[in-house]
Amino acid sequence: MGLAEPGRGGPDDARDALGQRGRHGREGRRRRGSTLNEQAPGPGAAGEEQPAAPSPAPRRRLPSTIGGACYLAVLLLTLVGIVVAGLSDWRAGVRIVSAALGIAAVLRLALPEKDAGMLAVRHRLFDVCTLLLFGVSLFVLAGAIPDQPV
């Protein structure tokens, strides 16, 4: 039709946009394993720039803090409470969830800031007060709601 089409790897190629975003832009990118003085060649005399192959993700030890492990334990206890509430006695399930929130509050209070992991959302006092408020509220509501005939 005579219309210009974008070329692969060119400045108008949407797939190449990720490679252009970086600390130094497209021209200043360094390849893995290069020294500080070596830089990746830019487009020009040799033709189009070849995209670098993605490097494999580094191995990561999960969870990386004791707070992360505590968070997973609290999450597991919460899931147990939800399953109990759904399959049998809903009051017991809600009380298990409220106990999980209380345990999370105690752990957030006891763990240092650098080890709190995902239990740390805001400031320590705010996190502890919020977790305790929701835990106590669930526990009180589970006891205060009267039984309904089925």
Side-chain angles (χ1 to χ4, degrees):
M1 297 197 69
L3 297 175
E5 294 183 17
R8 178 159 165 73
D12 53 352
D13 184 12
R15 294 172 290 194
D16 194 46
L18 182 61
Q20 294 175 16
R21 295 181 57 101
R23 173 181 279 171
H24 305 291
R26 186 175 194 167
E27 294 298 320
R29 264 192 318 213
R30 287 183 296 202
R31 295 183 191 264
R32 273 195 193 272
S34 65
T35 63
L36 290 176
N37 294 331
E38 283 183 73
Q39 290 187 350
E48 287 190 15
E49 179 180 337
Q50 296 295 325
S55 62
R59 297 192 90 190
R60 182 180 160 120
R61 186 177 61 105
L62 296 174
S64 59
T65 63
I66 189 71
C70 293
Y71 176 78
L72 290 176
V74 167
L75 185 64
L76 181 67
L77 188 59
T78 303
L79 289 176
V80 167
I82 291 171
V83 168
V84 168
L87 297 179
S88 63
D89 185 22
W90 68 271
R91 289 180 199 272
V94 171
R95 286 185 178 136
I96 291 172
V97 171
S98 69
L101 291 172
I103 291 169
V106 170
L107 288 171
R108 176 66 177 108
L109 188 63
L111 290 173
E113 193 73 31
K114 67 179 181 74
D115 291 333
M118 290 183 66
L119 288 173
V121 177
R122 306 254 182 229
H123 296 288
R124 179 178 291 174
L125 182 62
F126 182 80
D127 288 341
V128 170
C129 290
T130 304
L131 288 167
L132 283 177
L133 176 71
F134 285 128
V136 169
S137 298
L138 283 176
F139 192 82
V140 168
L141 285 173
I145 297 174
D147 287 329
Q148 300 290 321
V150 178

